[in-house]
């Protein structure tokens, strides 16, 4: 995703020059703070807003809650489970369609190229291969750039940000869903070094988010039952479930899908959500199984028997899947090297993505030009490198070779330019979709199938193309290319060790994938379970666990996970789970900014309209003053969206008096204040009032949240961050310590917890910012020199 966005909507960021000085003499606030969060969605400016998971408790809510009977509660529960079932069915179908289309589109292309190569029409084969790849990638990039820029990339960082409370427009729209599916099919089929797992996560989240829209008035799809889901809390749960279903659709890993959503994506998790998420992933697995059995009879073209991503290594070579205690040092070495390669992968990708961002910001023509250059480079590499590989005789094991001289299909060998009865091991990896290439590398009992030089060439090319391919404007994933690169690295390590290791090369390839995944994605439990479900072999569990723990620990010493780095690059204001040490040195009163805008309990219409037109804040404190209370007192918090509903309803008062309790009956319903889903939202520009109406009054008491979360101004910023993130707040009111001041000091929003904002206000704290133990430039040389000096002094 990608867009330049102004800071969050409700930033209270203007410096209040009349604000009391900080209590700590050593902390000095900078005069200005120009830091902001920038969200990249395509190259167009777009507003980034926060989601509000807080329950609004007011008179209208109480009335609506009391009116709900037992039948309403049962319908709500039944509807939640029905949605989970429907999400599982549709996500499973979407996953099957994507895999079916990729297998057939890419398979037809590779079949045609192989036929031309066997007839010695080498140049024709190259132009067909490169031209088809270019057309497919340009098609995927075009529909992404012109139809839905939010569909670009994997979508996992956007889903992770959404589940953290960040909402960017169109990331879950129906248009984005369509472009995500079609564009990913074209991009993966174009031989670009990208995968379909990340886009499948986004696809599942889109499907779930559409169910959470609560119907559509535009298309007449409305129902009293559906309005139960017109809130951010239920939508968040559905998106979490959909994301887990997407992982299951990509890898046929139902348990791994649940754990992936829990470990990598979700910021809030409840036990009830585990049940529904597991139910949904189970439905996806059953749907995929049904389609695989349907295609086993050959009705799905080149999809073939087995299909999808499944690397069963447990049935044919069980005796080769053994390991001993002496192999543990080798496994540790694989984990350490995989961590270093993964950290370097993340570093290089960030450099490339920054360059791509500069190019993409120049317009759609430059986006397509960049995609074309990457496609041509990839085609030249994929088609050209196999010419350097030697021709090898077909293995004697397995089924006999077909009459046309090609090798048996145990590993889907490619003849390329080789004579009959021979195969090109490098072409067997390059001229295949990623799923088949991984299946080749994971195959046990194939230690002599690949040449070390071919493995080295494929590893370098796979590593480089993975870094260069992700930034193009097309739906593309990182998970599968990382698995492929890691498997190649594992095979290469096994070849270099030779007879010093008794491990099968296929087993080491699996461990290489695990180490590279741990070094880039920094996930442990979910990746471990996904690999076990992919390979269908529990014997690998101890080794995979060890490799993942080592690779993640070592890689964390260099940089963050690839998804966190992309989140920061896109400027999505994601709140981390830990509080940085300098937050202990600050109170909430040190970062809250003004000027604060508030309303009286009974407010003049003209003042409300003026405030809404001159500010972008999405919530305002409501303060009761005499004659409604003996002294100024904080009554609650009223939302901007609710104020717009009141103004459009035009239920105004001629005098500043408080309404009776039965005032709302017949005038307002709870569904009037339900939060809309995607689409056009109400704005103050849509409100047109006469001069007479501007002089009237509106009673805000029945519509004000009377129990907002509040913190005292002396609370530490670290403690407030924990409350803000764990509860899922959008606004946090700051109240004074003493009672002789205004009843509210300010409002904290997501922006106020961003390191850029805090360090912009207090630059003296930059040196104390939280840093993990990471190797800095020259740190290794410095430590080495210190060791030498110590040894010299000790010997002297």
């Amino acid at each position: 995703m990608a867009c330049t966005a102004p800071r969050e909507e409700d930033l209270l960021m203007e410096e209040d020059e009349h604000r009391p000085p900080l209590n700590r003499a050593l902390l000095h606030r900078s005069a200005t703070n120009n830091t902001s969060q920038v969200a990249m969605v395509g190259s167009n400016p777009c507003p980034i807003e926060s989601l509000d998971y807080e329950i609004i408790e007011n008179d209208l809510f109480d009335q609506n809650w009391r009116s709900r009977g037992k039948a309403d509660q049962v319908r709500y529960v039944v509807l939640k489970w029905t949605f989970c079932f429907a999400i599982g069915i549709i996500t499973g179908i979407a996953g099957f369609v994507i895999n079916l289309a990729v297998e057939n589109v890419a398979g037809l292309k590779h079949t045609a190229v192989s036929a031309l190569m066997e007839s010695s029409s080498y140049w024709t084969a190259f132009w067909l291969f490169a031209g088809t790849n270019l057309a497919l990638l340009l098609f995927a990039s075009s529909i992404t750039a012109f139809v839905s820029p939010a569909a670009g990339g994997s979508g996992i960082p956007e889903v992770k940000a959404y589940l953290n409370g960040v909402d960017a427009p169109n990331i879950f729209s129906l248009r984005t869903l369509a472009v995500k599916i079609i564009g990913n099919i074209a991009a993966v089929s174009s031989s670009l070094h990208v995968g379909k797992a990340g886009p499948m996560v986004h696809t599942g989240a889109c499907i779930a988010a559409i169910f959470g829209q609560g119907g559509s008035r535009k298309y007449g799809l409305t129902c009293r039952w559906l309005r139960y889901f017109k809130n951010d809390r239920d939508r968040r749960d559905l998106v979490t479930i959909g994301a887990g279903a997407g992982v299951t659709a990509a890898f046929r890993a139902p348990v791994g899908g649940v754990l992936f959503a829990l470990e990598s994506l979700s910021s809030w998790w409840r036990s009830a959500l585990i049940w529904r998420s597991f139910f949904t992933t189970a439905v996806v697995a059953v749907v995929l199984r049904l389609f695989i059995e349907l295609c086993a009879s050959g009705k799905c073209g080149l999809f073939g028997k087995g299909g999808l991503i499944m690397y069963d290594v447990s049935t044919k070579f069980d005796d080769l899947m053994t390991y001993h205690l002496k192999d543990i040092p080798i496994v540790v070495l694989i984990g350490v090297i995989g961590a270093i390669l993964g950290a370097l992968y993340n570093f290089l990708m960030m450099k490339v993505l920054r360059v791509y961002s500069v190019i993409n910001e120049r317009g759609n023509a430059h986006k397509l030009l960049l995609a074309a250059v990457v496609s041509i480079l990839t085609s030249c590499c994929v088609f050209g490198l196999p010419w350097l590989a030697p021709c090898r005789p077909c293995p004697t094991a397995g089924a006999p070779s077909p009459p046309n001289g090609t090798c048996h299909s145990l590993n889907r060998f490619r003849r390329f330019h080789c004579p009959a009865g021979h195969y090109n091991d490098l072409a067997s990896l390059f001229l295949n979709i990623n799923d088949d290439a991984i299946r080749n590398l994971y195959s046990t009992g194939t230690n002599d199938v690949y040449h070390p030089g071919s493995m080295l060439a494929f590893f370098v090319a796979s590593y480089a193309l993975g870094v260069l391919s992700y930034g193009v404007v097309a739906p593309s994933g990182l998970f599968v290319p990382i698995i492929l690169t890691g498997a190649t690295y594992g095979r290469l390590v096994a070849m270099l060790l030779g007879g010093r290791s008794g491990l099968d090369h296929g087993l080491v390839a699996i461990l290489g994938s695990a180490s590279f995944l741990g070094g880039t994605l920094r996930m442990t439990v979910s990746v471990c379970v996904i690999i076990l479900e992919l390979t269908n072999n529990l014997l690998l569990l101890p080794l995979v666990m060890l490799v993942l723990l080592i690779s993640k620990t070592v890689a964390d010493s260099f940089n963050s996970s690839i998804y966190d780095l992309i989140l920061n690059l896109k400027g999505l204001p994601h709140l981390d789970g830990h509080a940085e040490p300098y937050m202990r040195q600050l109170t909430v009163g040190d970062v809250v900014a003004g000027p604060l805008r508030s309303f009286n309990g009974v407010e003049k219409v003209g003042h409300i309209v003026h405030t809404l037109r001159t500010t972008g804040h999405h919530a305002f404190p409501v303060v009761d003053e005499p004659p409604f209370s003996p002294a100024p007192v904080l009554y609650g918090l009223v939302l901007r969206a609710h104020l717009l509903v009141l103004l459009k309803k035009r239920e105004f008062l001629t005098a500043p008096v408080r309404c009776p309790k039965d005032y709302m009956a017949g005038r307002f319903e709870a569904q009037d204040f339900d939060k809309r889903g995607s689409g056009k939202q109400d704005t103050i520009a849509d409100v047109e009032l006469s001069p007479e109406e501007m002089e009237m009054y509106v009673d805000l008491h029945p519509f004000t949240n009377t129990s907002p979360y509040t913190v005292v101004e002396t609370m530490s910023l670290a403690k407030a961050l924990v409350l803000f993130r764990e509860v899922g707040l959008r606004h946090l009111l700051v109240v004074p310590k003493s009672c002789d001041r205004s009843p509210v000091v300010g409002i904290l929003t997501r922006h106020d917890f961003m390191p850029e904002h805090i360090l912009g206000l207090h630059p003296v704290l930059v040196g104390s910012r939280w840093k993990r133990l990471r190797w800095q430039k020259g740190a290794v040389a410095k430590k080495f020199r210190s060791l030498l000096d110590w040894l010299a002094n000790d010997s002297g």
Side-chain angles (χ1 to χ4, degrees):
M1 219 182 89
C3 116
T4 299
R7 275 175 283 187
E8 187 183 350
E9 78 291 358
D10 43 358
L11 335 153
L12 302 174
M13 56 178 252
E14 297 180 10
E15 184 66 19
D16 185 4
E17 298 181 356
H18 302 290
R19 189 177 175 280
L22 293 174
N23 296 329
R24 295 176 177 84
L26 295 179
L27 298 180
H28 299 282
R29 194 176 197 172
S30 62
T32 59
N33 175 31
N34 296 323
T35 60
S36 66
Q37 289 294 317
V38 177
M40 308 288 295
V41 185
S43 60
N44 301 319
C46 71
I48 298 297
E49 298 186 358
S50 287
L51 301 171
D52 197 348
Y53 301 135
E54 183 181 0
I55 296 178
I56 307 299
E57 296 180 338
N58 52 32
D59 293 347
L60 193 64
F61 171 83
D62 294 339
Q63 175 182 318
N64 178 64
W65 190 260
R66 287 193 299 267
S67 65
R68 291 190 181 184
K70 189 70 174 179
D72 291 312
Q73 299 176 22
V74 172
R75 279 195 291 264
Y76 175 62
V77 174
V78 170
L79 198 58
K80 286 197 294 186
W81 286 95
T82 303
F83 278 2
C84 291
F85 181 77
I87 291 169
I89 294 289
I90 298 176
T91 304
I93 294 174
F96 171 76
V97 169
I98 291 175
N99 282 276
L100 177 68
V102 169
E103 290 272 356
N104 282 279
V105 174
L108 290 173
K109 177 187 67 177
H110 292 144
T111 301
V113 171
S114 297
L116 290 172
M117 291 295 295
E118 291 174 8
S119 63
S120 300
S121 301
Y122 300 140
W123 280 107
T124 305
F126 171 73
W127 291 119
L128 174 64
F129 181 73
T132 304
N133 291 341
L134 181 61
L136 287 170
L137 185 57
L138 286 180
F139 171 72
S141 300
S142 298
I143 61 175
T144 305
F146 292 101
V147 180
S148 179
S154 73
I156 290 181
E158 289 77 13
V159 175
K160 184 174 181 178
Y162 181 88
L163 295 178
N164 188 256
V166 180
D167 187 20
N170 301 320
I171 59 173
F172 296 136
S173 66
L174 185 61
R175 179 182 300 179
T176 299
L177 174 62
V179 173
K180 200 75 178 185
I181 294 176
I182 299 173
N184 187 234
I185 292 172
V188 175
S189 301
S190 70
S191 296
L192 197 68
H193 201 66
V194 295
K196 50 185 180 287
M200 270 308 308
V201 174
H202 194 184
T203 297
C206 285
I207 293 171
I210 291 173
F211 274 94
Q213 297 300 314
S216 172
R217 295 180 181 178
K218 179 180 179 181
Y219 299 104
L221 302 175
T222 58
C223 176
R224 182 172 179 268
W225 293 8
L226 296 179
R227 73 177 182 83
Y228 296 152
F229 292 87
K230 288 191 174 183
N231 61 83
D232 289 332
R233 297 180 304 281
D234 286 314
R235 288 171 185 158
R236 174 194 63 191
D237 291 349
L238 289 175
V239 169
T240 304
I241 292 169
V247 176
T248 305
F251 297 113
R252 284 174 58 194
V255 179
V258 176
L259 294 176
F260 185 91
L262 170 61
E263 180 182 9
S264 178
L265 299 177
S266 180
S267 297
W268 301 276
W269 196 268
R270 296 177 291 107
S271 58
L273 196 56
I274 295 180
W275 282 96
R276 285 190 282 147
S277 182
F278 187 64
F279 169 74
T280 307
T281 57
V283 172
V284 175
V286 171
V287 171
L288 293 177
R289 185 64 187 176
L290 290 176
F291 278 113
I292 289 175
E293 291 182 356
L294 176 66
C295 292
S297 59
K299 298 179 181 179
C300 300
L302 298 176
F303 186 73
K305 185 177 180 180
L308 293 171
I309 304 178
M310 190 67 181
Y311 317 115
D312 193 337
V313 297
S314 65
T315 57
K316 202 165 187 177
F317 303 103
D318 280 340
D319 55 325
L320 299 176
M321 302 303 293
T322 58
Y323 50 88
H324 305 87
L325 187 61
K326 66 179 182 179
D327 298 320
I328 298 301
I330 297 174
V331 174
V332 173
L333 178 65
I334 292 173
V336 172
I337 298 177
I340 297 174
L341 291 174
L344 179 62
Y345 190 88
N346 292 359
F347 173 79
L348 294 176
M349 180 165 287
M350 286 303 100
K351 297 297 184 183
V352 171
L353 288 180
R354 292 184 188 279
V355 175
Y356 284 4
S357 296
V358 175
I359 298 174
N360 290 335
E361 287 174 359
R362 296 186 176 183
N364 291 332
H366 287 80
K367 295 178 183 179
L368 299 182
L369 179 61
L370 175 62
V373 171
V374 173
S375 176
I376 295 172
L377 176 64
T378 302
S379 297
C380 292
C381 179
V382 170
F383 196 87
L385 286 178
W387 291 90
L388 305 177
C391 294
R392 300 167 66 86
C394 291
T396 57
S401 300
N404 61 358
T406 60
C407 297
H408 52 79
S409 59
L410 172 63
N411 285 303
R412 298 195 179 187
F413 295 116
R414 301 286 183 184
R415 272 184 59 185
F416 201 59
H417 67 295
C418 296
H422 292 71
Y423 72 97
N424 187 307
D425 56 352
L426 204 50
S428 301
L429 296 174
F430 273 127
L431 297 180
N432 260 324
I433 63 173
N434 290 337
D435 299 353
D436 291 332
I438 297 172
R439 188 176 290 111
N440 291 349
L441 294 172
Y442 279 4
S443 297
T444 52
T446 57
N447 291 3
D448 299 326
V449 168
Y450 299 101
H451 189 274
S454 299
M455 278 293 96
L456 178 61
F458 186 74
F459 170 72
V460 174
S462 177
Y463 195 95
L465 291 177
V467 172
L468 296 174
S469 299
Y470 181 73
V472 299
V473 183
S476 54
L478 288 169
F479 213 108
V480 174
I482 290 174
I483 292 178
L484 177 59
T485 305
T488 310
Y489 147 70
R491 278 264 179 180
L492 186 60
V493 169
M495 290 178 177
L496 294 177
L497 291 174
R500 289 182 290 273
S501 171
L503 296 174
D504 184 82
H505 290 191
L507 171 59
V508 182
I510 296 172
L511 298 180
S513 294
S515 69
F516 202 49
L517 285 169
T520 52
L521 305 184
R522 314 294 163 82
M523 292 181 290
T524 53
V525 179
S526 58
V527 168
C528 180
V529 174
I530 288 174
I531 289 178
L532 294 180
E533 290 183 293
L534 280 177
T535 58
N536 195 24
N537 195 319
L538 282 175
L539 296 176
L540 299 174
L541 179 60
L543 296 186
V544 173
M545 290 175 62
L546 179 62
V547 163
L548 284 170
L549 289 172
I550 293 173
S551 60
K552 173 178 167 50
T553 302
V554 175
D556 280 339
S557 301
F558 295 95
N559 49 34
S560 302
S561 73
I562 187 63
Y563 294 140
D564 289 340
L565 292 174
I566 294 175
L567 271 173
N568 293 331
L569 181 63
K570 294 184 174 183
L572 295 170
H574 182 274
L575 291 179
D576 293 329
H578 68 271
E580 302 193 15
Y582 62 78
M583 292 186 177
R584 300 287 180 187
Q585 306 176 40
L586 297 172
T587 66
V588 294
D590 294 333
V591 298
V592 69
L596 179 67
R597 302 295 183 92
S598 62
F599 293 129
N600 295 320
V602 178
E603 188 58 79
K604 194 172 184 178
V605 174
H607 183 234
I608 296 177
V609 173
H610 174 75
T611 302
L612 295 181
R613 286 176 178 172
T614 56
T615 68
H617 309 330
H618 279 246
F620 304 89
V622 175
V623 178
D624 267 342
E625 296 182 349
F628 302 107
S629 66
V633 60
L634 176 64
Y635 186 80
L637 194 72
V638 64
L639 299 181
R640 183 188 191 93
H642 293 182
L643 291 173
L644 292 174
V645 173
L646 294 177
L647 294 177
K648 283 193 170 185
K649 284 282 188 177
R650 289 180 166 82
E651 294 290 342
F652 303 142
L653 306 172
T654 57
V657 295
R658 190 165 180 175
C659 299
K661 286 288 186 180
D662 58 351
Y663 171 76
M664 293 183 300
R667 290 182 171 87
F668 298 96
E669 297 181 358
Q671 63 185 19
D672 295 332
F673 298 90
D674 289 337
K675 184 174 182 179
R676 293 186 183 180
S678 60
K680 187 177 183 298
Q681 303 293 330
D682 292 333
T683 63
I684 188 60
D686 301 328
V687 177
E688 296 182 1
L689 300 175
S690 64
E692 292 78 13
E693 291 173 324
M694 297 286 279
E695 296 298 322
M696 300 178 74
Y697 297 87
V698 59
D699 185 7
L700 301 179
H701 292 97
F703 315 99
T704 300
N705 181 12
T706 57
S707 58
Y709 284 89
T710 61
V711 295
V712 69
E713 61 181 338
T714 55
M715 176 184 284
S716 70
L717 193 61
K719 196 172 182 179
L721 172 63
V722 173
L723 174 64
F724 192 93
R725 187 182 186 275
E726 294 301 322
V727 180
L729 300 179
R730 185 176 186 177
H731 308 98
L732 183 60
L733 288 175
V734 180
V735 296
K737 183 73 171 179
S738 59
C739 59
D740 58 345
R741 297 168 54 192
S742 173
V744 58
V745 175
I747 301 179
L748 289 176
T749 64
R750 177 176 296 267
H751 169 76
D752 296 301
F753 293 101
M754 291 292 105
E756 293 80 4
H757 171 71
I758 300 170
L759 298 177
L761 292 175
H762 307 288
V764 70
L765 297 174
V766 173
S768 64
R769 185 176 183 180
W770 170 264
K771 287 184 175 67
R772 291 179 180 175
L773 178 60
R774 289 176 178 160
W775 296 110
Q776 304 297 327
K777 186 177 181 180
V780 177
K782 182 178 179 181
K783 296 293 184 183
F784 185 69
R785 286 195 300 269
S786 300
L787 177 62
L788 292 179
D789 293 340
W790 179 81
L791 291 175
N793 295 333
D794 186 64
S795 61

